[in-house]
Amino acid sequence: MRRLRDMLRAAVHGEQFRDGILPSEAELMSAHGLSRATVREALALLRNEGLIERTQGIGTQAIVHSVSTAWAEAHGAAEPAKDSMFNRRMRPRMIDRSIVTVPTTVAGRLQVPAGTPCLRLEYVALVEEEAMALATNYVLFPEAAKLRDAPFVSDWYAFMAEAGVELSETEFVFGCELADAPLATVLGVREGAPLISMEQLIYDRDGRPFDLAFIHTCGERFRFVSRVFKELS
């Protein structure tokens, strides 16, 4: 049941089913040599994850359209591919854009005294009008001065580049969480939905951290793709 669930989940995220319609229970039983009860258990797990819905007379249909991005693009270290979400496919829905003092935890990560002024910029990242992530950025000056009133119409890296803010290094720390009620409301997901939690630090060319972001990404809608080549002797 677990293995079938994993294969079907991968196929749903990879949009491998024509018109989003999954094979029937009988077809899955025949293809995988499983009982009807096992197939139904696997489908029930996917339904509980919010990936599919089952309708009498129609069948089982995928209801999630996931977005994939290359790892280097997520770091802002590579030119985005033509179909990448970082190639003008994303737009922000602004929640907050104000000058505040740096909270103690943020100050430690940015290596400045607590109470230092910064720009807090919080937004929901939308792709094809569907919420992908909630991001709260704390940006130090002088970079904050360039971003405070700059037009923000696409992704974060394009926003910085167009405002004249350079980055030289980015760092991510990943975790997992379940959507609480406030996050579920903002992201348009059910309470308890799986989220990818990220903390991102962005550094300038002198190695100084100037931007710390707390990011909550919809685990059902977003996937990272990473490929690394090993140098052979």
Side-chain angles (χ1 to χ4, degrees):
M1 176 266 293
R2 171 177 50 81
R3 296 187 185 97
L4 176 60
R5 184 271 316 272
D6 291 345
M7 286 187 282
L8 292 176
R9 183 198 285 129
V12 167
H13 282 305
E15 298 185 352
Q16 295 178 16
F17 298 120
R18 185 175 181 180
D19 298 324
I21 303 296
L22 276 67
S24 67
E25 289 182 2
E27 289 171 326
L28 291 172
M29 291 165 58
S30 175
H32 298 279
L34 298 172
S35 68
R36 186 177 298 275
T38 300
V39 168
R40 286 182 173 175
E41 283 185 69
L43 293 173
L45 290 174
L46 293 177
R47 183 176 56 198
N48 291 339
E49 290 181 26
L51 297 181
I52 63 171
E53 63 181 13
R54 309 195 71 193
T55 307
Q56 189 171 3
I58 297 177
T60 304
Q61 188 170 17
I63 57 174
V64 166
H65 300 286
S66 61
V67 173
S68 298
T69 187
W71 186 229
E73 294 176 1
H75 272 285
E79 286 296 319
K82 184 177 180 180
D83 60 347
S84 169
M85 63 183 287
F86 289 102
N87 193 2
R88 304 292 175 176
R89 290 183 60 200
M90 188 189 304
R91 79 168 183 86
R93 184 175 73 224
M94 195 71 67
I95 296 176
D96 177 54
R97 192 174 192 172
S98 55
I99 302 300
V100 299
T101 55
V102 176
T104 302
T105 300
V106 175
R109 299 293 304 280
L110 292 176
Q111 302 173 22
V112 296
T116 299
C118 72
L119 170 66
R120 183 179 63 203
L121 199 156
E122 186 171 62
Y123 66 97
V124 176
L126 304 173
V127 176
E128 297 174 357
E129 298 307 307
E130 189 169 45
M132 288 291 159
L134 169 67
T136 306
N137 288 264
Y138 295 89
V139 185
L140 297 177
F141 286 87
E143 290 82 4
K146 297 180 179 180
L147 299 177
R148 178 168 47 191
D149 299 313
F152 187 13
V153 297
S154 184
D155 65 84
W156 187 255
Y157 297 124
F159 173 49
M160 288 198 300
E162 290 164 4
V165 175
E166 290 186 326
L167 66 89
S168 68
E169 183 181 349
T170 63
E171 170 189 313
F172 280 101
V173 177
F174 284 88
C176 300
E177 61 181 332
L178 300 178
D180 55 24
L183 280 173
T185 299
V186 171
L187 293 172
V189 298
R190 71 188 188 286
E191 191 170 344
L195 301 178
I196 304 168
S197 62
M198 294 178 272
E199 294 178 19
Q200 183 186 21
L201 268 175
I202 298 180
Y203 299 80
D204 67 13
R205 61 172 57 199
D206 295 320
R208 163 185 157 269
F210 68 86
D211 177 17
L212 174 64
F214 297 98
I215 307 170
H216 308 274
T217 302
C218 297
E220 301 164 344
R221 301 174 183 168
F222 190 83
R223 298 193 302 165
F224 288 108
V225 179
S226 178
R227 184 176 182 179
V228 177
F229 293 92
K230 180 180 179 180
E231 188 172 332
L232 301 177
S233 58

